Amino acid sequence: MFPTAHSFHRLKRLPSTSTRYITIDMIATNNSSTVATFDVPVSGHQAGNAFCYTNAYTGLIELQSYPTHVRTLALGSISTIKFEAVQFALRSFTQPFSSLEELSVTVCYPDGFPRPEDIPQLELSTDIFPSLRKLRLDGVYMDWEDSVFAQLTHVELRNCPCTDSAQFEDFLGILPTWSSLTELRLQHFLCNSTFSSDGMEVLECGYYMRPQNLRTLVVEGAAHQIPLLLYNLDVSGPDANVHIMGHWRFQAANGDNRSPFTAMVPLDDNFPVMFKSAKVVSLTVNEAEATLVGVSDVGTLTLEVPDFDRSTPSARAYALRKSLYSLTEIFATRRAPVQYLSITGDVSDVSPDDWDTLFQHVGTQLRQLTVRNTGTGRGVEHFLDALVKSFDMNQSQLVCPHLQTLAFSTCANPSTTGCMLQAVQSAIQNRARLNMPLRNLSVTVLMDSDYLNEYTPQVISSHVDAFGQCVKDEVQVRVSPLEFDSMHGESQSGQVHHGPS
């Protein structure tokens, strides 16, 4: 989430000067969205207490009396008519606001989202704000080459869209000069309709920006415009974290049949680097979220589609199948060294060919596979069958030859549970027969609590013993109520078999 004018990250207390106490008139919080905090006690309140003003202009005029004690300042919501007065007040400062570390400026528009030609430009002086480290702009531009950006560690730009891809290209070219930047957040920054829907075909410049210290990037915008960013901006390092939220409803309504995850990734197979080198991949498509995550030695990249249609069970099953196809396409074409794969969602629409393609092209280095089927239980047999299919003519080499750990959970009922467990038995027996046994197996069956008594500890133990003949180390079998969290909770009944090391 992007902070509002009332949201602050509390900063450490700054050293105070000889003035230890300030008295100012307090105004009720609900009368204003212009807020300041101080690094010394104010009007009987401890340092860090928020004080509100009737408007941004009034607040700035009053705060000029305390240039060494204002810690954070949020100016808003400023109308376009009043903006010039606020800019005038900022220019009228005669001495440095030496304690201010965090500034937020919000300009509001009568029609909601602003048009680029209506957005004003803010001017800030490094002489006046020498300690400024965090800047949030909502509905207002700045000259991105302004010297103040070289000292900022956190920048958030909201509702100030680029007019076209060329302007965005210029913005990316400037980013390396923001030498102190560690965190960048962009919301509705890439949302002008003149951006092409064909992704990277609009940019042939070929340069790749690597801001030296940037480690956190959060972006929200139209899904089909995200490749512009991922192709041209590198955020890397073991602790680097990139989170992209791409909206897709408009594209889907206009007949774009691609998966939104496919649409968010550049056509160039070398990008994004975090996906090309991903060792851990996770796909989740359920009621709560639709995300595709890649974790590598150069950081973590999360693609999220908040408006992917998941309104009904059939829509969720369709979305999972479409997303699984994207996963295969994205990581197979980049030859990513995926070792750990997790899939969560309703797999009932996933065909045998879908699973075959996934395992053959993404499973060559796979060591651990987790599948959480959130649907009715249909489709699990396709997943298990694919794990024992050969991809050569001699039937001597299985897919996922390095697979050591398999964990899956699924809904079932008494009439289908036996067949499903038999399919598990067949899968692990075939892998063991070809000298590729699993080391660890975890199976969780979720069913209505009325039927749990049919799976006594003795019944479960018999399955554990049977599976243990084909698994080298550990077998876990759980039969649990439907509301059970299959990977994090405690099962109602279960047994563990420890095989030879």
Side-chain angles (χ1 to χ4, degrees):
M1 294 292 294
F2 291 82
T4 66
H6 291 285
S7 300
F8 296 101
H9 296 289
R10 293 302 182 198
L11 305 175
K12 65 181 181 180
R13 180 172 175 173
L14 300 176
S16 60
T17 62
S18 57
T19 302
R20 302 302 301 274
Y21 190 87
I22 296 175
T23 301
I24 62 175
D25 294 329
M26 292 188 61
I27 299 174
T29 302
N30 59 1
N31 289 341
S32 171
S33 58
T34 290
V35 184
T37 64
F38 294 79
D39 69 345
V40 293
V42 180
S43 298
H45 296 272
Q46 294 182 350
N49 189 71
F51 288 84
C52 302
Y53 297 86
T54 53
N55 58 65
Y57 177 78
T58 301
L60 286 172
I61 296 302
E62 293 191 20
L63 290 172
Q64 288 188 35
S65 302
Y66 315 106
T68 61
H69 291 295
V70 180
R71 179 192 302 175
T72 70
L73 177 60
L75 301 175
S77 297
I78 308 166
S79 69
T80 53
I81 296 175
K82 299 291 186 181
F83 181 80
E84 281 302 322
V86 172
Q87 184 67 75
F88 174 80
L90 288 170
R91 293 194 192 105
S92 67
F93 284 15
T94 57
Q95 53 183 322
F97 241 52
S98 58
S99 60
L100 188 68
E101 291 195 351
E102 185 172 344
L103 175 64
S104 174
V105 181
T106 301
V107 177
C108 58
Y109 296 84
D111 298 327
F113 187 75
R115 296 178 301 175
E117 59 268 25
D118 296 333
I119 300 175
Q121 182 164 310
L122 179 70
E123 297 176 9
L124 296 175
S125 170
T126 53
D127 295 333
I128 299 299
F129 301 107
S131 301
L132 190 63
R133 295 296 178 266
K134 296 185 178 182
L135 178 64
R136 298 183 182 91
L137 302 179
D138 188 340
V140 58
Y141 285 128
M142 279 189 65
D143 179 354
W144 308 132
E145 297 186 76
D146 194 300
S147 60
V148 73
F149 288 101
Q151 68 189 41
L152 300 178
T153 60
H154 294 65
V155 174
E156 179 177 327
L157 306 177
R158 212 177 153 179
N159 296 323
C160 44
C162 295
T163 56
D164 53 38
S165 57
Q167 187 183 72
F168 179 65
E169 178 183 325
D170 292 340
F171 171 78
L172 292 176
I174 292 168
L175 278 183
T177 67
W178 298 8
S179 54
S180 301
L181 188 67
T182 61
E183 181 174 323
L184 176 63
R185 293 173 178 263
L186 305 174
Q187 186 180 34
H188 301 310
F189 192 78
L190 309 169
C191 50
N192 189 274
S193 60
T194 59
F195 276 113
S196 168
S197 62
D198 296 326
M200 282 315 307
E201 292 180 3
V202 302
L203 279 183
E204 299 293 340
C205 58
Y207 66 82
Y208 202 45
M209 294 296 102
R210 294 180 173 87
Q212 181 179 359
N213 296 307
L214 185 59
R215 291 296 179 268
T216 300
L217 175 66
V218 180
V219 178
E220 181 177 1
H224 69 276
Q225 294 169 355
I226 298 304
L228 295 165
L229 185 76
L230 294 180
Y231 181 77
N232 287 279
L233 182 61
D234 178 30
V235 181
S236 60
D239 57 344
N241 195 329
V242 178
H243 192 129
I244 309 291
M245 288 168 279
H247 293 277
W248 187 247
R249 193 176 301 278
F250 177 80
Q251 286 296 113
N254 282 275
D256 195 328
N257 292 318
R258 294 176 295 172
S259 160
F261 293 117
T262 297
M264 293 168 74
V265 175
L267 298 178
D268 191 321
D269 294 343
N270 293 306
F271 303 100
V273 175
M274 287 179 180
F275 275 1
K276 183 177 178 61
S277 57
K279 294 181 179 178
V280 180
V281 173
S282 173
L283 173 66
T284 301
V285 180
N286 55 25
E287 288 185 82
E289 63 180 280
T291 57
L292 178 61
V293 183
V295 183
S296 70
D297 293 337
V298 294
T300 300
L301 171 58
T302 300
L303 301 183
E304 179 180 356
V305 187
D307 58 355
F308 204 163
D309 183 15
R310 308 183 307 282
S311 56
T312 64
S314 60
R316 290 191 288 274
Y318 176 75
L320 187 279
R321 183 185 183 189
K322 203 165 189 177
S323 300
L324 192 66
Y325 180 85
S326 281
L327 185 157
T328 303
E329 180 182 37
I330 290 169
F331 293 97
T333 56
R334 287 160 179 79
R335 298 183 179 179
V338 180
Q339 298 180 19
Y340 303 89
L341 175 61
S342 174
I343 298 167
T344 300
D346 185 347
V347 304
S348 57
D349 279 3
V350 182
S351 70
D353 287 343
D354 294 332
W355 288 115
D356 289 347
T357 304
L358 171 70
F359 292 148
Q360 288 184 27
H361 296 286
V362 182
T364 56
Q365 300 184 49
L366 196 63
R367 300 171 62 87
Q368 179 172 313
L369 173 64
T370 300
V371 177
R372 301 176 179 92
N373 178 28
T374 61
T376 61
R378 293 188 301 111
V380 174
E381 67 279 7
H382 300 323
F383 148 67
L384 292 169
D385 288 346
L387 276 179
V388 295
K389 283 191 175 180
S390 170
F391 56 78
D392 66 13
M393 296 300 294
N394 297 322
Q395 297 290 311
S396 61
Q397 180 67 53
L398 290 177
V399 294
C400 308
H402 302 289
L403 186 65
Q404 296 184 359
T405 298
L406 171 62
F408 80 94
S409 67
T410 185
C411 301
N413 57 59
S415 63
T416 61
T417 299
C419 294
M420 187 272 295
L421 292 175
Q422 184 56 48
V424 174
Q425 182 73 41
S426 175
I428 62 177
Q429 280 181 340
N430 275 283
R431 296 193 68 89
R433 179 175 57 82
L434 292 176
N435 201 29
M436 296 180 187
L438 296 175
R439 298 194 69 90
N440 303 288
L441 173 66
S442 174
V443 178
T444 300
V445 181
L446 307 175
M447 63 174 60
D448 191 288
S449 57
D450 293 340
Y451 301 109
L452 289 179
N453 57 1
E454 297 185 24
Y455 283 84
T456 64
Q458 291 76 18
V459 172
I460 295 175
S461 181
S462 66
H463 288 294
V464 169
D465 291 340
F467 295 163
Q469 302 302 312
C470 307
V471 177
K472 296 179 68 174
D473 288 345
E474 184 174 293
V475 175
Q476 294 182 340
V477 177
R478 302 181 181 93
V479 178
S480 305
L482 282 173
E483 61 273 14
F484 172 69
D485 182 344
S486 63
M487 297 300 169
H488 299 97
E490 293 295 330
S491 61
Q492 184 182 55
S493 58
Q495 298 287 332
V496 177
H497 162 86
H498 295 281
S501 60

